[in-house]
Amino acid sequence: MADGGVPTLQVSDLDGAASKPNPAWEDDLASSGASDSEYQHALEVIFDPENNHRRKSSLVPSEAPGSITPNKGSSCFIHSLLETQRKKSAPPKREEIEQLDAKAAGNHDTPMHSRLLTKRQLSDMAYGVRELSKRLGKIRLKLRVRKIFLLTKAHDETLIQYTREVARWLLSDERDTNYTVYVEKVLEKNKRFDAKGLVKDQPSAKERLNYWTNELAARHPHTFDFVITLGGDGTVLYASWLFQRVVPPVLSFALGSLGFLTRFDYESFPETLSSAFRDGITVSLRLRFEGTVMRSQAKGDKALRDLVEELAGEESDDNRTHKPDGSHEILNEIVVDRGPNPTLSSLELFGDDEHFTTLQADGICVATPTGSTAYNLAAGGSLCHPDNPVILVTAICAHTLSFRPIILPDSIVLRVGVPYDARISSWASFDGRDRCHEISDFDENHFEEIVEGNRANRTERSDNYAYLVVDDKSKDAVIIDPAHPEEVAPVLKSQIDSGRINLTGIINTHHHWDHAGGNSKMLEQFKGISVTGGKDCEAVTKTPKHGEVFNLGEGISVKALHTPCHTQDSICFLFEDGNDRAVFTGDTLFIGGCGRFFEGTAAEMHKALNQTLAALPDDTKVFPGHEYTKANVKFAASVLQSEPIKKLQAFAESNKETQGKFTIGDEKLHNVFMRVEDPEVQKATSKSDPIEVMSALRELKNNFK
């Protein structure tokens, strides 16, 4: 899963060769000042290709619009070799893969560069490379910054004001340079950010205040000269995730809960930025992994296939067993685990072309040096200085003590495989995102029919829920909040092809990317379906009015309930099939909690919870957009000690998933945000007005540890 990209040296002594080296090398040796003795004992140094141990089937076509071209005609031997290597190891375009396949036979051992060197030259070269590496680890750059990418901690409304302050400072006419500032697209109409007011105060900023999207960052990273993050380590990871290939210099201000990567204080941001732009910055280069998901290709009876036999040894060009299904650049770690399954994962670990071991555990964590302080450390792995070019491999709760944390060189190509005869499926996540299912054979079991509301799939956040709702009679179906099409679409296609469902549309509870961000890709794969949701949802085709009712198939009625606060376009959807009722609440109502007030007020959330949703029948089952129950009930217990809260706490401790297990009637008993008139809750908040109690509770929850 990780490919370090450090060339290997093959050194062969040529003592038995001809008395003189190849004439093509004479000038090089003569100019080096080598003695006659050294001249007669020259070594042939062969640089193997960078991807010598990487299977051609795992090479994902590059979608980058361009790459950085190294300087031509370098007089430095090391630079010349590295430049040649870069040119020959660039990711192939899709049309080139067939040509690679055709030429693959017999070319595996073809060296990319060969040269005669004396032993002293070889020693000097190794020393020079090491010295160069040490200097590159802490280089100081003086940048001509013009375009600045401003990234704020996701979904934290308390930081919007800080974002505005930084943007205003950068756009001010007092700056020596007319900076162009890019902020997230969702802030364009945000009341707290108040873009119109910002431009009114700084008229010259009208053309210099722009908005970025995920697509702009991914496809045009060279647009930005500099990245400023406001948040914690998670925000830095998000910056790495946005810029998958080329990452501009990142300067991080500590405004989050963790700060291993955020070393600058926000209070002094004017001085920090002025110094950085004027005097230059010291850049700490961080190692990232390239992780590729490989899916097995259907070839014969799986009961007769052996993963170890397929992946150990060299790849057969005419019988490739796996194909790539996406690639990611990783700053922290790749985790392969058992997901929601109760049984241990069975995994096969390979390094280069060798089978290392078989592992039975809750999972495995493959971490970068930067990620050594994260999941790796929690799983018992070693701390590692970020300058070390290594891969840290740590088992998560291994079944036996024989597997210990190991540290491998970053030059190795590491593979983690799920065997064909594994008892359960496994899941993979990349820097905590893009969580995907490893074995497609189990996918069809992840969808249950309607009102039972079982989890359909987890989206980019590991706590996200997407739901498939099916009308039994007509087989008409809708998918709710399919944020991650790569997970959801294959399962939907399987259901459609088998005749089990007729997908008619997408329903979004609000516009945030982790709920509606997959709409466009879904529409590309499923033509003719509708998108029902708030007005700001991606590719929305219909926004129902508050209280509007529409039908799904022959037996299900759906009512739209507008609940603005988390976002102004938040809508909860009540599904009714006879006497069965289920409400899909997105990020408005969680089990034991509620969403943050990103675009609204405490009064709006009070109305959403304690008037709109509280008016539903008590037996209505609740299906939220995230699994936050453990954290929610922990907070609730700090506010109110009651029997319903104790019961919820016990349930959350013994169950990983709580969606559909509780009703509106239950929420009225154990959700403190729906008990704002309870004397004990009022006492805990020192407020008596319901709206003030709601505001105080949300502030307490925001700061609760």
Side-chain angles (χ1 to χ4, degrees), residues 12-31:
S12 54
D13 198 331
L14 301 182
D15 287 348
S19 59
K20 285 189 178 182
N22 190 318
W25 304 102
E26 287 182 356
D27 293 341
D28 295 324
L29 289 173
S31 63

Side-chain angles (χ1 to χ4, degrees), residues 506-520:
I506 297 170
I507 289 180
N508 291 138
T509 56
H510 60 292
H511 70 260
H512 281 163
W513 63 269
D514 57 338
H515 293 261
N519 289 353
S520 295

Side-chain angles (χ1 to χ4, degrees), residues 150-433:
L150 192 53
L151 176 62
T152 308
K153 182 179 179 181
H155 306 326
D156 191 340
E157 76 279 10
T158 62
L159 299 186
I160 294 177
Q161 185 59 37
Y162 297 123
T163 307
R164 192 178 194 277
E165 289 177 3
V166 175
R168 180 172 181 170
W169 184 87
L170 291 169
L171 294 169
S172 172
D173 294 333
E174 298 177 3
R175 305 284 79 78
D176 295 334
T177 302
N178 290 328
Y179 298 113
T180 300
V181 178
Y182 289 79
V183 298
E184 193 170 4
K185 181 70 173 178
V186 296
L187 296 180
E188 184 175 10
K189 298 180 180 179
N190 186 278
K191 294 179 181 178
R192 295 193 180 203
F193 185 73
D194 188 18
K196 292 183 179 179
L198 197 61
V199 173
K200 184 178 180 180
D201 294 341
Q202 301 282 347
S204 64
K206 184 176 182 180
E207 302 298 326
R208 295 187 289 120
L209 178 61
N210 294 320
Y211 302 94
W212 60 262
T213 62
N214 291 10
E215 183 178 6
L216 178 63
R219 293 186 176 274
H220 304 285
H222 292 294
T223 301
F224 313 106
D225 303 319
F226 202 74
V227 176
I228 299 173
T229 70
L230 306 177
D233 287 355
T235 310
V236 180
L237 287 177
Y238 187 34
S240 172
W241 186 260
L242 288 171
F243 296 95
Q244 281 289 290
R245 292 296 174 186
V246 178
V247 186
V250 179
L251 190 149
S252 304
F253 291 102
L255 286 171
S257 55
L258 292 175
F260 290 102
L261 302 174
T262 53
R263 58 184 298 178
F264 297 101
D265 293 329
Y266 175 79
E267 289 75 13
S268 57
F269 84 83
E271 295 81 6
T272 301
L273 293 178
S274 296
S275 175
F277 298 154
R278 181 184 64 249
D279 304 327
I281 55 176
T282 300
V283 176
S284 174
L285 300 177
R286 295 299 178 109
L287 175 70
R288 295 201 302 176
F289 293 161
E290 179 182 348
T292 303
V293 178
M294 301 292 293
R295 301 282 186 183
S296 64
Q297 301 195 69
K299 292 187 177 182
D301 187 357
K302 285 194 174 183
L304 303 177
R305 295 177 67 176
D306 188 315
L307 186 70
V308 176
E309 290 183 359
E310 292 180 354
L311 297 188
E314 293 187 2
E315 183 179 33
S316 175
D317 291 294
D318 59 352
N319 186 31
R320 293 183 177 174
T321 59
H322 294 74
K323 61 181 179 180
D325 186 26
S327 183
H328 309 282
E329 297 290 333
I330 308 305
L331 180 61
N332 250 17
E333 75 273 309
I334 299 170
V335 176
V336 181
D337 60 45
R338 60 187 176 92
N341 299 302
T343 308
L344 292 176
S345 289
S346 178
L347 302 170
E348 303 290 353
L349 186 63
F350 303 82
D352 288 338
D353 298 323
E354 301 293 331
H355 178 231
F356 281 1
T357 188
T358 299
L359 172 68
Q360 282 198 327
D362 279 352
I364 191 170
C365 177
V366 181
T368 67
T370 298
S372 69
T373 59
Y375 201 160
N376 168 78
L377 183 62
S382 174
L383 285 172
C384 181
H385 193 279
D387 286 350
N388 289 325
V390 296
I391 303 172
L392 297 96
V393 182
T394 305
I396 304 169
C397 298
H399 180 57
T400 65
L401 296 178
S402 59
F403 191 99
R404 290 301 190 190
I406 55 177
I407 300 177
L408 301 170
D410 73 335
S411 57
I412 201 169
V413 177
L414 196 67
R415 299 182 182 91
V416 179
V418 182
Y420 294 107
D421 59 354
R423 293 174 59 192
I424 63 168
S425 59
S426 292
W427 296 70
S429 64
F430 306 86
D431 276 348
R433 294 179 177 271

Side-chain angles (χ1 to χ4, degrees), residues 35 76 275 326 346 375 392 407 417 450 484 524 611 626 629 683-684:
S35 66
C76 173
S275 175
S346 178
Y375 201 160
L392 297 96
I407 300 177
I450 162 158
H484 199 337
E524 291 175 3
Q611 296 178 28
H626 298 271
T629 307
K683 181 180 178 181

